[in-house]
Coordinates of all heavy atoms in Angstrom, one line a residue:
M269 N -7.5 -14.2 -2.1 CA -7.8 -14.0 -3.5 C -6.6 -13.4 -4.2 O -6.1 -12.4 -3.7 CB -9.1 -13.2 -3.7 CG -9.4 -12.9 -5.2 SD -11.0 -12.2 -5.4 CE -12.0 -13.6 -5.2
N270 N -6.3 -13.8 -5.4 CA -5.1 -13.3 -6.1 C -5.5 -12.0 -6.8 O -6.4 -11.9 -7.6 CB -4.7 -14.3 -7.1 CG -3.4 -13.9 -7.8 OD1 -3.1 -12.7 -7.9 ND2 -2.6 -14.9 -8.1
R271 N -4.8 -10.9 -6.5 CA -5.1 -9.6 -7.0 C -4.9 -9.5 -8.5 O -5.4 -8.7 -9.2 CB -4.3 -8.5 -6.3 CG -4.7 -8.4 -4.9 CD -6.0 -7.7 -4.7 NE -6.4 -7.8 -3.3 CZ -7.7 -7.8 -2.9 NH1 -8.6 -7.7 -3.8 NH2 -8.0 -7.9 -1.7
K272 N -4.0 -10.4 -9.1 CA -3.8 -10.4 -10.5 C -5.0 -10.6 -11.3 O -5.2 -10.0 -12.3 CB -2.7 -11.4 -10.9 CG -1.3 -11.0 -10.7 CD -0.4 -12.1 -11.3 CE 1.0 -11.6 -11.2 NZ 1.9 -12.6 -11.8
F273 N -5.9 -11.5 -10.8 CA -7.2 -11.7 -11.4 C -8.2 -10.6 -11.2 O -9.0 -10.3 -12.1 CB -7.7 -13.1 -11.0 CG -6.8 -14.2 -11.4 CD1 -6.1 -14.9 -10.4 CD2 -6.6 -14.6 -12.7 CE1 -5.3 -15.9 -10.7 CE2 -5.8 -15.6 -13.0 CZ -5.1 -16.3 -12.1
M274 N -8.1 -10.0 -10.0 CA -9.1 -8.9 -9.7 C -8.7 -7.6 -10.5 O -9.5 -6.9 -10.9 CB -9.1 -8.7 -8.2 CG -9.8 -9.8 -7.5 SD -9.9 -9.4 -5.7 CE -11.0 -8.0 -5.7
Y275 N -7.4 -7.4 -10.6 CA -6.9 -6.2 -11.2 C -5.9 -6.5 -12.3 O -4.7 -6.3 -12.1 CB -6.2 -5.3 -10.1 CG -7.2 -5.0 -8.9 CD1 -7.1 -5.7 -7.8 CD2 -8.2 -4.0 -9.1 CE1 -8.0 -5.5 -6.7 CE2 -9.0 -3.8 -8.0 CZ -8.9 -4.5 -6.9 OH -9.8 -4.3 -5.8
P276 N -6.3 -6.9 -13.5 CA -5.4 -7.3 -14.5 C -4.5 -6.2 -15.0 O -3.5 -6.5 -15.6 CB -6.3 -7.9 -15.6 CG -7.6 -7.2 -15.3 CD -7.7 -7.0 -13.9
L277 N -4.9 -4.9 -14.8 CA -4.0 -3.8 -15.4 C -3.0 -3.4 -14.4 O -2.2 -2.5 -14.7 CB -4.9 -2.6 -15.7 CG -6.0 -2.9 -16.8 CD1 -6.8 -1.7 -17.1 CD2 -5.3 -3.4 -18.1
F278 N -3.0 -4.0 -13.2 CA -2.0 -3.6 -12.2 C -0.6 -4.0 -12.6 O -0.3 -5.1 -13.1 CB -2.3 -4.3 -10.8 CG -1.3 -4.1 -9.8 CD1 -1.0 -2.8 -9.3 CD2 -0.6 -5.2 -9.3 CE1 0.0 -2.6 -8.3 CE2 0.4 -5.0 -8.3 CZ 0.7 -3.7 -7.8
N279 N 0.4 -3.1 -12.5 CA 1.7 -3.3 -12.9 C 2.7 -3.0 -11.7 O 2.9 -1.9 -11.4 CB 2.1 -2.4 -14.1 CG 3.4 -2.6 -14.6 OD1 4.4 -2.7 -13.9 ND2 3.5 -2.7 -15.9
Q280 N 3.2 -4.1 -11.1 CA 4.1 -4.0 -9.9 C 5.3 -3.2 -10.3 O 5.8 -2.4 -9.4 CB 4.4 -5.4 -9.4 CG 5.2 -5.4 -8.2 CD 4.5 -5.2 -6.9 OE1 4.4 -4.1 -6.4 NE2 3.9 -6.2 -6.4
H281 N 5.9 -3.4 -11.4 CA 7.1 -2.7 -11.8 C 6.9 -1.2 -11.9 O 7.7 -0.4 -11.4 CB 7.7 -3.2 -13.1 CG 8.9 -2.5 -13.6 ND1 10.1 -2.7 -13.0 CD2 9.1 -1.6 -14.6 CE1 11.0 -1.9 -13.6 NE2 10.4 -1.3 -14.6
R282 N 5.8 -0.8 -12.5 CA 5.5 0.6 -12.6 C 5.3 1.3 -11.3 O 5.7 2.4 -11.0 CB 4.2 0.8 -13.5 CG 4.0 2.3 -13.8 CD 2.8 2.5 -14.8 NE 2.6 1.3 -15.6 CZ 1.4 0.9 -16.1 NH1 0.3 1.6 -15.7 NH2 1.3 -0.2 -16.8
L283 N 4.6 0.5 -10.4 CA 4.4 1.0 -9.0 C 5.7 1.2 -8.3 O 6.0 2.2 -7.6 CB 3.5 0.1 -8.2 CG 3.2 0.5 -6.8 CD1 2.6 1.8 -6.7 CD2 2.4 -0.6 -6.1
K284 N 6.6 0.2 -8.4 CA 8.0 0.3 -7.8 C 8.7 1.6 -8.2 O 9.3 2.2 -7.4 CB 8.8 -0.9 -8.1 CG 10.1 -1.0 -7.4 CD 10.8 -2.3 -7.6 CE 12.1 -2.4 -6.8 NZ 12.8 -3.7 -7.0
Q285 N 8.6 1.9 -9.5 CA 9.2 3.1 -10.0 C 8.6 4.4 -9.3 O 9.4 5.3 -9.0 CB 9.1 3.2 -11.5 CG 9.8 2.1 -12.3 CD 11.3 2.1 -12.0 OE1 11.9 3.1 -12.0 NE2 11.8 0.9 -11.7
K286 N 7.3 4.4 -9.1 CA 6.7 5.5 -8.5 C 7.0 5.7 -7.0 O 6.9 6.8 -6.5 CB 5.1 5.4 -8.7 CG 4.7 5.7 -10.1 CD 3.2 5.7 -10.1 CE 2.7 6.1 -11.5 NZ 1.3 6.3 -11.6
L287 N 7.4 4.6 -6.4 CA 7.7 4.6 -5.0 C 9.1 4.9 -4.6 O 9.5 5.0 -3.5 CB 7.3 3.2 -4.3 CG 5.8 2.8 -4.4 CD1 5.6 1.5 -3.7 CD2 4.9 3.9 -3.8
K288 N 9.9 5.2 -5.6 CA 11.3 5.6 -5.4 C 11.3 6.8 -4.6 O 10.6 7.8 -4.9 CB 12.1 5.7 -6.7 CG 12.5 4.5 -7.3 CD 13.4 4.7 -8.5 CE 13.9 3.4 -9.0 NZ 14.8 3.5 -10.2
G289 N 12.2 6.9 -3.6 CA 12.3 8.1 -2.8 C 11.4 8.1 -1.5 O 11.5 8.9 -0.7
I290 N 10.5 7.1 -1.5 CA 9.6 7.0 -0.3 C 10.4 6.4 0.8 O 11.0 5.3 0.7 CB 8.4 6.1 -0.6 CG1 7.5 6.7 -1.8 CG2 7.5 5.9 0.6 CD1 6.8 8.0 -1.4
D291 N 10.3 7.0 2.0 CA 11.0 6.4 3.2 C 10.2 6.3 4.4 O 10.7 5.8 5.4 CB 12.3 7.2 3.5 CG 12.1 8.6 4.0 OD1 10.9 9.1 3.9 OD2 13.0 9.2 4.4
K292 N 8.9 6.6 4.3 CA 8.0 6.5 5.5 C 6.7 5.9 5.0 O 6.1 6.4 4.0 CB 7.7 7.9 6.1 CG 9.0 8.5 6.7 CD 8.6 9.8 7.3 CE 8.5 10.9 6.2 NZ 9.2 12.1 6.3
L293 N 6.2 4.8 5.7 CA 5.0 4.1 5.3 C 4.0 4.2 6.5 O 4.4 3.9 7.6 CB 5.3 2.7 5.0 CG 6.3 2.4 3.9 CD1 6.5 0.8 3.8 CD2 5.9 3.0 2.6
N294 N 2.8 4.5 6.1 CA 1.6 4.5 7.0 C 0.8 3.3 6.6 O 0.0 3.4 5.6 CB 0.9 5.8 7.0 CG -0.3 5.8 8.0 OD1 -0.5 4.9 8.8 ND2 -1.1 6.8 7.8
L295 N 0.9 2.1 7.2 CA 0.3 0.9 6.8 C -1.2 0.8 7.3 O -1.4 1.0 8.5 CB 1.1 -0.3 7.2 CG 2.5 -0.4 6.7 CD1 3.2 -1.6 7.2 CD2 2.6 -0.3 5.2
G296 N -2.1 0.4 6.4 CA -3.5 0.3 6.9 C -4.0 1.6 7.4 O -4.7 1.6 8.4
C297 N -3.8 2.6 6.7 CA -4.1 4.0 7.2 C -5.6 4.3 7.3 O -5.9 5.2 8.1 CB -3.4 5.0 6.2 SG -4.1 5.0 4.5
G298 N -6.4 3.6 6.6 CA -7.8 4.1 6.7 C -7.9 5.5 6.1 O -7.2 5.8 5.1
L299 N -8.7 6.3 6.7 CA -8.7 7.7 6.2 C -7.8 8.7 7.1 O -8.0 9.9 6.9 CB -10.2 8.2 6.2 CG -11.1 7.4 5.2 CD1 -12.5 7.9 5.3 CD2 -10.6 7.6 3.8
D300 N -7.0 8.1 7.9 CA -6.0 8.9 8.7 C -4.7 9.1 7.9 O -3.8 8.3 8.1 CB -5.7 8.2 10.1 CG -7.0 8.1 10.9 OD1 -7.8 9.1 10.9 OD2 -7.1 7.1 11.6
L301 N -4.7 10.1 7.1 CA -3.6 10.3 6.2 C -2.5 11.2 6.8 O -2.9 12.2 7.4 CB -4.1 10.9 4.8 CG -5.2 10.1 4.1 CD1 -5.6 10.8 2.9 CD2 -4.8 8.7 3.9
L302 N -1.3 10.8 6.6 CA -0.2 11.6 7.2 C 0.6 12.3 6.0 O 1.0 11.6 5.1 CB 0.8 10.7 7.9 CG 0.2 9.9 9.1 CD1 1.3 9.0 9.7 CD2 -0.3 10.9 10.2
R303 N 0.7 13.6 6.1 CA 1.5 14.3 5.0 C 3.0 13.9 5.2 O 3.5 13.7 6.3 CB 1.3 15.8 5.2 CG 0.0 16.2 4.8 CD -0.2 17.7 4.9 NE -1.6 18.0 4.5 CZ -2.0 19.2 4.2 NH1 -1.1 20.2 4.3 NH2 -3.2 19.4 3.9
G304 N 3.6 13.7 4.0 CA 5.0 13.3 4.0 C 5.3 11.8 4.1 O 6.4 11.4 4.2
W305 N 4.2 11.1 4.2 CA 4.3 9.6 4.3 C 3.5 9.0 3.1 O 2.6 9.7 2.5 CB 3.6 9.1 5.6 CG 4.2 9.5 6.8 CD1 4.4 10.8 7.3 CD2 4.8 8.6 7.8 NE1 5.1 10.7 8.5 CE2 5.3 9.4 8.8 CE3 4.9 7.2 7.9 CZ2 6.0 8.8 10.0 CZ3 5.5 6.7 9.0 CH2 6.0 7.5 10.0
L306 N 3.8 7.8 2.8 CA 3.0 7.0 1.8 C 2.0 6.3 2.6 O 2.3 5.4 3.5 CB 3.8 6.0 1.0 CG 3.0 5.2 0.0 CD1 2.3 6.0 -1.0 CD2 3.9 4.1 -0.6
N307 N 0.7 6.7 2.5 CA -0.4 6.1 3.2 C -1.0 5.0 2.4 O -1.4 5.2 1.2 CB -1.4 7.2 3.5 CG -0.9 8.3 4.3 OD1 -0.8 8.3 5.5 ND2 -0.4 9.4 3.6
I308 N -1.0 3.8 2.9 CA -1.4 2.6 2.2 C -2.6 1.9 2.8 O -2.6 1.7 4.0 CB -0.3 1.5 2.1 CG1 1.0 2.2 1.6 CG2 -0.7 0.4 1.2 CD1 2.2 1.3 1.6
G309 N -3.6 1.7 2.0 CA -4.8 1.0 2.5 C -5.6 0.4 1.3 O -5.2 0.7 0.1
L310 N -6.5 -0.4 1.5 CA -7.3 -1.0 0.5 C -8.7 -0.3 0.5 O -9.4 -0.3 1.5 CB -7.5 -2.5 0.7 CG -8.2 -3.3 -0.4 CD1 -7.5 -3.1 -1.7 CD2 -8.3 -4.8 0.0
F311 N -9.0 0.4 -0.6 CA -10.1 1.3 -0.7 C -11.0 1.0 -1.9 O -10.9 1.6 -2.9 CB -9.7 2.8 -0.8 CG -8.8 3.2 0.3 CD1 -7.4 3.3 0.1 CD2 -9.3 3.6 1.5 CE1 -6.6 3.7 1.1 CE2 -8.5 4.0 2.6 CZ -7.1 4.1 2.4
P312 N -11.9 0.0 -1.7 CA -12.7 -0.4 -2.9 C -13.7 0.7 -3.2 O -14.2 0.8 -4.4 CB -13.4 -1.6 -2.4 CG -13.3 -1.6 -0.9 CD -12.1 -0.8 -0.6
D313 N -14.1 1.6 -2.3 CA -15.1 2.6 -2.5 C -14.5 4.0 -3.1 O -15.3 4.8 -3.5 CB -15.9 2.9 -1.3 CG -16.6 1.6 -0.8 OD1 -16.9 0.8 -1.7 OD2 -16.9 1.5 0.4
L314 N -13.2 4.2 -2.9 CA -12.7 5.5 -3.4 C -12.4 5.4 -4.9 O -12.2 4.3 -5.4 CB -11.4 5.8 -2.6 CG -11.5 6.1 -1.1 CD1 -10.2 6.5 -0.5 CD2 -12.5 7.2 -0.9
E315 N -12.4 6.5 -5.5 CA -12.1 6.6 -6.9 C -10.6 6.6 -7.2 O -10.1 7.4 -7.9 CB -12.8 7.8 -7.5 CG -14.3 7.7 -7.4 CD -15.0 8.9 -8.0 OE1 -14.3 9.8 -8.6 OE2 -16.2 9.0 -7.9
I316 N -9.9 5.7 -6.6 CA -8.5 5.5 -6.8 C -8.2 4.1 -7.3 O -8.5 3.2 -6.5 CB -7.7 5.8 -5.5 CG1 -8.0 7.2 -4.9 CG2 -6.2 5.5 -5.7 CD1 -7.4 7.4 -3.6
P317 N -7.8 3.9 -8.5 CA -7.6 2.6 -9.0 C -6.6 1.8 -8.2 O -5.6 2.4 -7.6 CB -7.1 2.8 -10.4 CG -7.5 4.2 -10.8 CD -7.5 4.9 -9.5
Y318 N -6.8 0.5 -8.1 CA -5.9 -0.4 -7.3 C -4.5 -0.3 -7.8 O -4.3 -0.3 -9.0 CB -6.4 -1.8 -7.4 CG -5.5 -2.8 -6.6 CD1 -5.7 -2.9 -5.2 CD2 -4.5 -3.5 -7.2 CE1 -5.0 -3.8 -4.5 CE2 -3.7 -4.4 -6.5 CZ -4.0 -4.5 -5.1 OH -3.2 -5.3 -4.4
G319 N -3.5 -0.1 -6.9 CA -2.1 -0.1 -7.3 C -1.6 1.3 -7.8 O -0.5 1.4 -8.3
T320 N -2.5 2.3 -7.6 CA -2.0 3.6 -8.0 C -1.8 4.5 -6.8 O -2.4 4.4 -5.8 CB -3.0 4.3 -9.0 OG1 -4.3 4.4 -8.3 CG2 -3.2 3.5 -10.3
V321 N -0.9 5.5 -7.0 CA -0.6 6.5 -6.0 C -1.3 7.8 -6.4 O -1.1 8.3 -7.5 CB 0.9 6.7 -5.8 CG1 1.2 7.7 -4.8 CG2 1.6 5.4 -5.5
K322 N -2.1 8.4 -5.5 CA -2.8 9.6 -5.7 C -2.6 10.6 -4.6 O -2.3 10.1 -3.4 CB -4.3 9.4 -5.9 CG -4.6 8.6 -7.1 CD -4.5 9.3 -8.4 CE -4.9 8.4 -9.6 NZ -4.7 9.0 -10.8
M323 N -2.7 11.9 -4.8 CA -2.7 12.9 -3.7 C -4.1 13.0 -3.2 O -5.0 13.2 -4.0 CB -2.2 14.2 -4.4 CG -1.1 14.9 -3.8 SD -0.1 14.3 -2.6 CE 1.0 15.7 -2.5
K324 N -4.2 12.9 -1.9 CA -5.5 13.2 -1.3 C -5.3 13.9 0.0 O -4.5 13.5 0.9 CB -6.2 11.8 -1.0 CG -7.7 12.0 -0.5 CD -8.4 10.7 -0.7 CE -9.8 10.8 -0.2 NZ -10.7 11.5 -1.1
K325 N -5.9 15.0 0.2 CA -5.8 15.9 1.4 C -4.3 16.3 1.6 O -3.8 16.3 2.7 CB -6.4 15.2 2.6 CG -7.9 14.9 2.5 CD -8.3 14.3 3.8 CE -9.8 13.9 3.7 NZ -10.2 13.1 4.9
G326 N -3.6 16.5 0.5 CA -2.2 16.8 0.6 C -1.2 15.7 1.0 O -0.1 15.9 1.3
A327 N -1.7 14.5 1.0 CA -0.9 13.3 1.3 C -0.9 12.3 0.2 O -1.9 12.2 -0.5 CB -1.4 12.7 2.6
L328 N 0.1 11.5 0.1 CA 0.2 10.4 -0.9 C -0.6 9.2 -0.4 O -0.4 8.8 0.7 CB 1.6 10.0 -1.2 CG 2.5 10.9 -2.0 CD1 3.9 10.3 -2.1 CD2 1.9 11.0 -3.4
L329 N -1.5 8.7 -1.3 CA -2.3 7.6 -0.9 C -2.2 6.5 -1.9 O -2.3 6.7 -3.1 CB -3.8 8.0 -0.8 CG -4.8 7.0 -0.5 CD1 -4.6 6.4 0.9 CD2 -6.2 7.5 -0.5
L330 N -1.9 5.3 -1.5 CA -1.8 4.1 -2.3 C -2.9 3.1 -2.0 O -3.0 2.7 -0.9 CB -0.4 3.4 -2.1 CG -0.2 2.0 -2.8 CD1 -0.4 2.1 -4.3 CD2 1.1 1.4 -2.4
N331 N -3.7 2.8 -3.0 CA -4.8 1.8 -2.8 C -4.1 0.4 -3.1 O -3.9 0.1 -4.3 CB -5.9 2.1 -3.8 CG -7.1 1.2 -3.6 OD1 -7.1 0.4 -2.7 ND2 -8.1 1.4 -4.5
F332 N -3.9 -0.3 -2.0 CA -3.2 -1.6 -2.2 C -3.6 -2.6 -1.1 O -3.7 -2.2 0.1 CB -1.7 -1.3 -2.2 CG -0.8 -2.5 -2.6 CD1 -0.7 -2.7 -3.9 CD2 -0.3 -3.3 -1.7 CE1 0.1 -3.8 -4.4 CE2 0.5 -4.4 -2.1 CZ 0.7 -4.6 -3.4
D333 N -3.6 -3.8 -1.4 CA -3.9 -4.9 -0.4 C -2.6 -5.3 0.2 O -1.7 -5.9 -0.4 CB -4.6 -6.1 -1.1 CG -4.9 -7.2 -0.2 OD1 -4.5 -7.2 1.0 OD2 -5.5 -8.2 -0.7
L334 N -2.4 -5.0 1.5 CA -1.1 -5.3 2.2 C -0.9 -6.7 2.5 O 0.2 -7.1 3.0 CB -1.0 -4.4 3.4 CG -0.8 -2.9 3.1 CD1 -1.0 -2.1 4.4 CD2 0.6 -2.7 2.6
T335 N -1.8 -7.6 2.2 CA -1.5 -9.0 2.3 C -0.8 -9.5 1.0 O -0.3 -10.7 1.0 CB -2.8 -9.9 2.5 OG1 -3.6 -9.8 1.3 CG2 -3.5 -9.4 3.8
Q336 N -0.6 -8.7 0.0 CA 0.1 -9.0 -1.2 C 1.5 -8.4 -1.1 O 1.8 -7.4 -0.4 CB -0.6 -8.5 -2.4 CG -2.1 -9.0 -2.5 CD -2.1 -10.5 -2.6 OE1 -1.5 -11.1 -3.5 NE2 -2.9 -11.1 -1.8
E337 N 2.4 -8.9 -1.9 CA 3.8 -8.4 -2.0 C 3.8 -7.0 -2.6 O 3.3 -6.7 -3.6 CB 4.7 -9.3 -2.8 CG 6.1 -8.9 -2.8 CD 7.0 -9.8 -3.6 OE1 6.6 -11.0 -3.8 OE2 8.1 -9.4 -4.0
L338 N 4.5 -6.1 -1.9 CA 4.7 -4.7 -2.4 C 6.1 -4.5 -2.6 O 7.0 -4.6 -1.7 CB 4.1 -3.7 -1.3 CG 4.3 -2.2 -1.7 CD1 3.5 -1.9 -2.9 CD2 3.8 -1.4 -0.5
S339 N 6.5 -4.2 -3.9 CA 7.9 -4.1 -4.2 C 8.4 -2.6 -3.9 O 7.9 -1.7 -4.5 CB 8.1 -4.3 -5.7 OG 7.9 -5.6 -6.0
I340 N 9.2 -2.6 -2.9 CA 9.8 -1.3 -2.5 C 11.3 -1.5 -2.5 O 11.8 -2.6 -2.1 CB 9.3 -0.9 -1.1 CG1 7.8 -0.6 -1.1 CG2 10.1 0.3 -0.6 CD1 7.2 -0.2 0.2
Q341 N 12.0 -0.5 -2.9 CA 13.5 -0.6 -3.0 C 14.0 -1.0 -1.6 O 13.7 -0.5 -0.6 CB 14.1 0.7 -3.4 CG 15.6 0.7 -3.6 CD 16.1 2.0 -4.2 OE1 15.3 2.9 -4.5 NE2 17.4 2.1 -4.2
E342 N 14.9 -2.0 -1.6 CA 15.5 -2.6 -0.4 C 16.3 -1.5 0.3 O 17.0 -0.7 -0.2 CB 16.5 -3.7 -0.8 CG 16.8 -4.6 0.3 CD 17.6 -5.8 -0.1 OE1 17.2 -6.4 -1.1 OE2 18.6 -6.1 0.5
K343 N 16.2 -1.5 1.7 CA 16.8 -0.6 2.6 C 16.5 0.9 2.4 O 17.2 1.8 2.7 CB 18.3 -0.8 2.5 CG 18.8 -2.2 2.9 CD 20.3 -2.3 2.8 CE 20.7 -3.7 3.1 NZ 22.1 -3.9 3.1
S344 N 15.3 1.1 1.8 CA 14.9 2.5 1.6 C 13.9 3.1 2.6 O 13.7 4.3 2.7 CB 14.2 2.6 0.2 OG 13.0 1.9 0.2
I345 N 13.3 2.2 3.5 CA 12.3 2.7 4.4 C 13.0 3.0 5.8 O 13.7 2.1 6.3 CB 11.2 1.6 4.6 CG1 10.6 1.3 3.2 CG2 10.2 2.1 5.6 CD1 10.0 2.5 2.5
K346 N 12.7 4.2 6.3 CA 13.2 4.6 7.6 C 12.2 4.4 8.7 O 12.5 4.1 9.9 CB 13.7 6.0 7.6 CG 14.9 6.3 6.7 CD 15.3 7.7 6.7 CE 16.4 8.0 5.7 NZ 16.7 9.4 5.6
Y347 N 10.9 4.7 8.4 CA 9.8 4.6 9.4 C 8.6 3.9 8.9 O 8.2 4.0 7.7 CB 9.4 6.0 9.8 CG 10.5 6.9 10.3 CD1 11.1 7.8 9.4 CD2 11.0 6.8 11.6 CE1 12.1 8.7 9.8 CE2 12.0 7.6 12.0 CZ 12.6 8.5 11.1 OH 13.6 9.3 11.6
I348 N 8.0 3.1 9.7 CA 6.8 2.4 9.4 C 5.8 2.6 10.6 O 6.1 2.4 11.7 CB 7.0 0.9 9.2 CG1 7.9 0.6 8.0 CG2 5.6 0.2 9.1 CD1 8.2 -0.9 7.9
Y349 N 4.6 3.1 10.2 CA 3.6 3.4 11.2 C 2.4 2.5 10.9 O 2.0 2.4 9.7 CB 3.1 4.8 11.2 CG 2.1 5.2 12.2 CD1 2.3 5.2 13.5 CD2 0.8 5.6 11.7 CE1 1.3 5.5 14.4 CE2 -0.2 5.9 12.6 CZ 0.1 5.9 14.0 OH -0.9 6.3 14.9
A350 N 1.9 1.7 11.8 CA 0.8 0.7 11.5 C -0.2 0.7 12.7 O -0.3 -0.3 13.4 CB 1.4 -0.6 11.3
S351 N -0.9 1.8 12.9 CA -1.9 1.9 14.0 C -3.2 1.2 13.5 O -3.7 1.4 12.5 CB -2.2 3.3 14.3 OG -3.2 3.5 15.2
H352 N -3.6 0.2 14.4 CA -4.9 -0.5 14.1 C -4.8 -1.3 12.8 O -5.8 -1.3 12.1 CB -6.1 0.4 14.1 CG -6.2 1.2 15.4 ND1 -6.5 0.7 16.6 CD2 -6.0 2.5 15.6 CE1 -6.6 1.6 17.5 NE2 -6.2 2.7 16.9
F353 N -3.7 -1.8 12.5 CA -3.6 -2.6 11.3 C -3.2 -4.1 11.5 O -3.9 -5.0 11.0 CB -2.5 -2.0 10.4 CG -2.1 -2.8 9.2 CD1 -3.0 -3.1 8.2 CD2 -0.8 -3.4 9.2 CE1 -2.6 -4.0 7.1 CE2 -0.4 -4.2 8.1 CZ -1.3 -4.5 7.1
V354 N -2.3 -4.4 12.3 CA -1.8 -5.7 12.5 C -2.9 -6.7 12.9 O -2.9 -7.8 12.5 CB -0.6 -5.7 13.5 CG1 -0.1 -7.1 13.8 CG2 0.6 -4.9 12.9
E355 N -3.8 -6.2 13.8 CA -4.8 -7.1 14.3 C -5.8 -7.5 13.2 O -6.6 -8.4 13.4 CB -5.6 -6.4 15.5 CG -6.4 -5.2 15.1 CD -5.6 -3.9 15.2 OE1 -4.4 -3.9 15.2 OE2 -6.3 -2.9 15.4
H356 N -5.8 -6.9 12.0 CA -6.7 -7.3 10.9 C -6.1 -8.3 10.0 O -6.7 -8.7 9.0 CB -7.1 -6.0 10.2 CG -7.9 -5.1 11.0 ND1 -9.2 -5.3 11.3 CD2 -7.5 -3.9 11.6 CE1 -9.6 -4.3 12.1 NE2 -8.6 -3.4 12.3
I357 N -4.8 -8.7 10.2 CA -4.2 -9.7 9.3 C -4.5 -11.1 9.8 O -4.3 -11.3 11.0 CB -2.7 -9.4 9.3 CG1 -2.4 -8.0 8.7 CG2 -2.0 -10.5 8.4 CD1 -0.9 -7.7 8.8
S358 N -4.9 -11.9 9.0 CA -5.2 -13.3 9.4 C -3.9 -14.1 9.5 O -2.9 -13.8 8.9 CB -6.1 -14.0 8.4 OG -5.5 -14.3 7.2
F359 N -3.9 -15.2 10.3 CA -2.8 -16.0 10.4 C -2.3 -16.6 9.1 O -1.2 -16.7 8.8 CB -3.1 -17.2 11.4 CG -1.9 -18.0 11.7 CD1 -0.8 -17.6 12.4 CD2 -1.9 -19.3 11.2 CE1 0.3 -18.4 12.6 CE2 -0.8 -20.2 11.4 CZ 0.3 -19.7 12.1
K360 N -3.3 -16.9 8.2 CA -3.0 -17.5 6.9 C -2.2 -16.5 6.1 O -1.3 -16.8 5.4 CB -4.3 -17.8 6.2 CG -4.2 -18.3 4.8 CD -5.5 -18.4 4.1 CE -5.8 -17.1 3.5 NZ -7.0 -16.8 2.8
D361 N -2.5 -15.2 6.2 CA -1.8 -14.1 5.4 C -0.4 -13.9 6.0 O 0.5 -13.6 5.2 CB -2.6 -12.8 5.4 CG -3.8 -12.9 4.5 OD1 -3.8 -13.7 3.6 OD2 -4.8 -12.2 4.9
V362 N -0.2 -14.1 7.2 CA 1.1 -13.9 7.9 C 2.1 -15.0 7.4 O 3.2 -14.7 7.2 CB 1.0 -13.9 9.4 CG1 2.3 -14.0 10.0 CG2 0.2 -12.8 9.9
K363 N 1.6 -16.2 7.1 CA 2.4 -17.3 6.7 C 2.9 -17.1 5.3 O 3.8 -17.8 4.9 CB 1.7 -18.6 6.9 CG 1.4 -19.0 8.3 CD 0.6 -20.2 8.4 CE 1.4 -21.4 7.9 NZ 0.7 -22.7 8.1
K364 N 2.4 -16.2 4.5 CA 2.8 -16.1 3.1 C 4.3 -15.7 3.0 O 4.9 -14.9 3.1 CB 2.0 -15.0 2.3 CG 0.6 -15.5 2.0 CD -0.1 -14.4 1.2 CE -1.6 -14.7 1.1 NZ -2.3 -13.7 0.4

């Protein structure tokens, strides 16, 4: 499903500006948040609007669908942690 239709107020450019300086990503974090990392997951039940970055438990949390394109400054990421995430991606989503 296209997130543009689900979240019409989402602004990829504004998000890219907020992510400047981020060099560590925790992909598909669930509720296992790491301080000093950008923790990314899809949270329909949390009070965090889609595409926004909020502080939770002292850690940055981004509510985002990782099957969609995430604009991050090229060559800015040093570390990626993805525990229990890859097995949840469908073959169809990998081909995008």
